[in-house]
């Protein structure tokens, strides 16, 4: 689906409505003082906080309680590879190992966070969601509203395989045991060597390329996650790097730096696909434009995404990826458990399984998903390290070393939201 720049946009209207619902429910939750968290003060660390039941039980008892239950996993449904992995690998394995029935429920994170905030305000003690794929500002909003359950992550045996520092924050916000890692991702551009033998290597070079090839580039419309990530990466590259933004939102700094980004994006707009009058709704829509040859680049937050689409015949075998030399945003993505999840034990078992070497190895395989591991492979026995090393990510996937050299961290969530609002006001509506 393509969203028009000039026509009334249902997507923006829905976003505004969801934002109002989030704000109203958040205020209600904070006013009654139900497990709210003060912004900036954080919470007691997971190591200090007492674990609630069933997280406080011995792990064997958690598994026993979970056996035979249903876990409803609410997650973004627009990524075919992620859906394939959850439906084709995770669900059958949870059924075989633990007798757990995993039901994937496609839903965008702002929608389920809004629903949880409304349920919290209404005093609904038992909901219908057990596990959430969540990240960034959605996690922060959920924590501020007190709609996540925990801390549970310290009770997961497989957390010992993760890097505590890497998983300590989510877009700069303390995790405090209310999430467990799921995977790692990094932003890349996808291009076809048959059409574009030598891609741009920096954001400035990309801008020059766009102007030299009118109509052949676009990006998903923020707040789509990939489109938003693209403008964040441009913000870093065009305004002096990421380090200055690794703190709570500084409105004076934003006011001095953001006009550079808005000017650059407005300058590019007439040279974009559809002359900047419309933007793809999401990354999947951009993939379709690229696969049909309407544009010469797609953008993905998953380095092995291009290889997966080559393997299933969507992309030609000549497609490759590039991580820009002046920075490629990366993050750790997480799962969390709602405050009113009906099957918390089952959700814990599912979250722990997602961190197992078996599940992380399968997830890394482009035949399932091609998502990079959330665990530290170096902590595994030699035999397991060899199995991870043997995974063939395909010619379209950059090596971990190349990606690591270009990796820059995600911006804190309040900066992210300010940039999305700014793009809407300063680029889309100008």
């Amino acid at each position: 689906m393509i969203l028009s720049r000039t026509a009334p946009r249902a997507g923006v209207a829905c976003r505004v409505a969801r934002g109002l619902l989030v704000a109203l429910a958040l205020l209600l939750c904070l006013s009654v003082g139900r497990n709210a968290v003060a912004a900036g003060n954080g919470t007691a660390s997971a190591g200090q906080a007492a674990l609630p039941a069933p997280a406080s039980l011995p792990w064997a008892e958690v598994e026993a309680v979970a056996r035979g239950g249903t876990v409803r996993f609410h997650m973004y449904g627009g990524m075919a590879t992620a859906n394939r992995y959850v439906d084709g690998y995770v669900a059958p394995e949870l059924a075989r190992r633990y007798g757990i029935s995993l039901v994937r429920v496609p839903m965008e994170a702002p929608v389920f966070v809004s629903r949880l905030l409304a349920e919290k305000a209404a005093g609904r003690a038992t909901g219908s969601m057990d596990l959430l794929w969540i990240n960034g500002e959605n996690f922060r909003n959920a924590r501020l509203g007190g709609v996540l359950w925990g801390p549970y992550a310290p009770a997961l045996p497989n957390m010992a395989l993760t890097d505590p520092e890497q998983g300590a924050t989510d877009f700069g916000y303390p995790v405090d045991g209310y999430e467990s890692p799921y995977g790692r991702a990094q932003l890349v551009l996808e291009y076809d060597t048959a059409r574009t033998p030598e891609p741009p290597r920096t954001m400035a070079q990309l801008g020059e390329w766009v102007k030299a090839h009118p109509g052949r580039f676009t990006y998903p419309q923020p707040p789509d996650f990939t489109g938003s990530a693209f403008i964040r990466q441009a913000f870093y590259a065009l305004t002096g790097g990421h380090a200055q933004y690794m703190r709570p939102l500084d409105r004076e700094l934003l006011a001095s730096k953001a006009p550079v980004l808005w000017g650059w994006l407005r300058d590019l707009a007439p040279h974009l696909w559809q002359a900047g009058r419309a933007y793809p709704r999401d990354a999947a829509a951009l993939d379709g434009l690229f696969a049909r040859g309407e544009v010469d680049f797609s953008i993905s937050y998953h380095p092995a995404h291009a290889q997966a689409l080559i393997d299933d015949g969507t992309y030609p075998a000549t497609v490759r990826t590039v991580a820009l030399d002046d920075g490629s945003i990366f993050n750790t993505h997480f799962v969390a458990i709602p405050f009113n999840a009906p099957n918390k034990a089952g959700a814990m078992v599912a979250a722990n399984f997602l961190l197992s070497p078996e599940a992380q190895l399968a997830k890394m395989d482009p035949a399932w998903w091609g998502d990079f591991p959330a665990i530290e492979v170096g902590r595994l026995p030699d035999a397991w390290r060899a199995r991870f090393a043997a995974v063939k990510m395909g010619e379209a996937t950059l090596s971990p070393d190349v990606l690591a050299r270009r990796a820059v961290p995600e911006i804190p969530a309040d900066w992210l939201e300010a940039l999305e609002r700014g793009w809407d006001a300063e680029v889309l509506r100008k």
Side-chain angles (χ1 to χ4, degrees):
M1 177 178 179
I2 306 300
L3 296 179
S4 168
R5 178 176 178 173
T6 55
R9 295 175 301 117
V12 169
C14 290
R15 181 187 173 200
V16 171
R18 290 200 300 266
L20 290 173
L21 179 57
V22 169
L24 175 60
L26 180 55
L27 286 172
L28 287 170
C29 290
L30 293 174
S31 68
V32 297
R34 289 176 177 170
N35 201 29
V37 182
N41 292 332
T43 63
S45 70
Q48 296 171 335
L51 299 183
S56 58
L57 297 174
W59 186 250
E61 293 185 30
V62 176
E63 291 183 335
V65 172
R67 185 164 294 278
T70 296
V71 172
R72 291 173 177 83
F73 187 10
H74 284 61
M75 55 177 278
Y76 172 64
M79 187 181 300
T81 49
N83 297 343
R84 179 173 64 201
Y85 169 68
V86 171
D87 293 342
Y89 178 80
V90 177
E93 284 298 307
L94 284 174
R96 183 178 70 84
R97 294 165 183 256
Y98 306 105
I100 290 174
S101 176
L102 184 76
V103 179
R104 179 177 61 85
V105 182
M107 186 177 291
E108 294 189 12
V111 177
F112 62 63
V113 171
S114 295
R115 181 176 295 182
L116 286 170
L117 288 166
E119 291 177 355
K120 180 81 169 181
R124 186 176 176 185
T126 303
S128 59
M129 310 181 211
D130 297 299
L131 193 64
L132 312 171
W133 185 12
I134 194 169
N135 233 151
E137 77 277 20
N138 296 303
F139 171 69
R140 185 204 58 188
N141 290 341
R143 285 287 287 128
L144 288 173
V147 297
L148 297 182
W149 176 77
Y152 76 89
L156 305 184
N158 286 329
M159 281 294 291
L161 300 176
T162 67
D163 179 350
E165 183 176 350
Q166 185 78 35
T169 60
D170 184 350
F171 283 64
Y173 196 83
V175 168
D176 287 338
Y178 282 78
E179 292 181 309
S180 51
Y182 182 24
R184 291 178 183 165
Q186 192 164 338
L187 198 72
V188 296
L189 302 181
E190 301 171 346
Y191 67 100
D192 188 344
T193 57
R195 287 183 267 157
T196 311
E198 183 56 39
R201 297 288 173 175
T202 67
M203 194 64 70
Q205 288 178 12
L206 177 62
E208 294 169 1
W209 188 96
V210 170
K211 291 179 179 179
H213 302 81
R216 304 302 298 174
F217 183 84
T218 189
Y219 54 93
Q221 177 164 319
D224 169 77
F225 188 79
T226 303
S228 179
F230 173 74
I231 68 168
R232 295 194 296 275
Q233 184 163 307
F235 185 53
Y236 287 173
L238 300 169
T239 64
H242 71 278
Q244 60 193 315
Y245 307 120
M246 295 296 108
R247 53 193 172 101
L249 178 62
D250 181 331
R251 296 194 179 277
E252 290 186 6
L253 182 60
L254 177 69
S256 69
K257 297 288 188 174
V260 176
L261 174 65
W262 308 142
W264 187 77
L265 291 172
R266 285 196 299 265
D267 191 40
L268 287 189
H271 307 282
L272 298 177
W273 174 81
Q274 297 290 300
R277 293 186 297 271
Y279 292 85
R281 173 184 173 84
D282 54 25
L286 178 57
D287 291 344
L289 294 177
F290 176 63
R292 294 192 298 271
E294 294 187 49
V295 296
D296 289 328
F297 289 88
S298 193
I299 307 169
S300 180
Y301 214 137
H302 293 273
H305 172 264
Q307 188 63 49
L309 269 61
I310 291 172
D311 293 343
D312 71 12
T314 301
Y315 285 177
T318 47
V319 168
R320 296 292 183 268
T321 57
V322 59
L324 296 181
D325 291 344
D326 49 5
S328 169
I329 288 181
F330 80 98
N331 75 41
T332 299
H333 42 275
F334 299 84
V335 295
I337 301 173
F339 78 102
N340 59 356
N343 187 4
K344 295 181 175 69
M348 288 178 62
V349 171
N352 188 64
F353 175 69
L354 290 174
L355 282 173
S356 67
E358 297 90 337
Q360 290 286 305
L361 181 66
K363 184 166 64 68
M364 187 177 175
D365 188 344
W368 284 118
W369 182 352
D371 191 50
F372 279 49
I375 61 175
E376 296 298 304
V377 174
R379 300 187 180 203
L380 299 175
D382 290 346
W384 272 110
R385 291 204 298 272
R387 292 179 68 182
F388 275 88
V391 173
K392 297 187 182 303
M393 301 297 288
E395 290 186 60
T397 307
L398 297 171
S399 72
D401 288 344
V402 169
L403 290 167
R405 287 197 298 271
R406 290 158 177 78
V408 291
E410 266 290 6
I411 205 162
D414 49 359
W415 285 91
L416 179 155
E417 292 178 324
L419 289 172
E420 290 180 347
R421 290 191 299 267
W423 183 88
D424 192 82
E426 299 294 336
V427 180
L428 184 68
R429 299 181 185 277
K430 290 292 187 179

